[in-house]
Amino acid sequence: HTRAWRSLCSRESMADAAAEPKSHARRDLLIDIQKQAQQRWDKEKAFEQDAPLPGTAEAKQPKHFVTFPYPYMNGTLHLGHTFSLTKTEFSMGYERLKGKRTLWPFGFHCTGMPIQAAADNLRRDIISM
């Protein structure tokens, strides 16, 4: 065990590993899949929806609305934001699959004291440079 570990960690084997080009095949495949999906969404306007005309069958479809507590801009985004966003995104996708018209407005809250605190922090950072 120890001898094998030492040979793996030897300077020569580390140098050999560093000299070999790293494969990015998995990353490149995922990027290609992402591009294909985004092109399809753009073509099908998957995330665009206009209000239906009153009295149409589309207007009578069940609706689903989700809100998200907008993150304040006086701090950085963190895992808690991701957790909450994931739940709302799943909910919207699920309800769309069930045939509901969905609306999920999203934005950032940039008014009042939080934005003033962010501006003060930025000013302090610039001054200290």
Side-chain angles (χ1 to χ4, degrees):
H1 250 323
T2 306
R3 186 181 301 172
W5 178 250
R6 282 187 189 143
S7 69
L8 282 173
C9 295
S10 71
R11 288 179 192 255
E12 294 81 19
S13 65
M14 296 290 255
D16 291 344
E20 292 178 16
K22 185 175 180 180
S23 172
H24 298 289
R26 183 187 304 183
R27 181 205 61 192
D28 294 343
L29 175 63
L30 291 173
I31 289 171
D32 288 341
I33 291 169
Q34 178 183 16
K35 286 179 184 176
Q36 290 172 18
Q38 289 174 343
Q39 288 170 354
R40 181 177 173 186
W41 296 338
D42 286 342
K43 179 181 166 192
E44 296 177 3
K45 299 186 186 298
F47 298 102
E48 297 177 25
Q49 207 166 62
D50 293 324
L53 296 173
T56 62
E58 194 176 33
K60 295 175 183 167
Q61 272 183 282
K63 298 165 184 69
H64 183 72
F65 180 82
V66 170
T67 61
F68 175 77
Y70 303 135
Y72 285 106
M73 296 313 296
N74 65 337
T76 57
L77 295 176
H78 53 78
L79 196 54
H81 294 107
T82 306
F83 179 70
S84 297
L85 276 169
T86 303
K87 292 190 293 185
T88 57
E89 186 174 0
F90 175 83
S91 169
M92 295 304 290
Y94 178 71
E95 296 298 332
R96 285 183 86 184
L97 287 172
K98 289 173 39 180
K100 292 184 180 178
R101 294 181 53 79
T102 59
L103 180 62
W104 181 28
F106 185 82
F108 292 91
H109 187 258
C110 295
T111 60
M113 289 309 293
I115 196 65
Q116 181 62 47
D120 290 344
N121 286 339
L122 183 60
R123 183 172 39 125
R124 273 194 303 273
D125 290 345
I126 291 171
I127 290 171
S128 68
M129 286 184 180

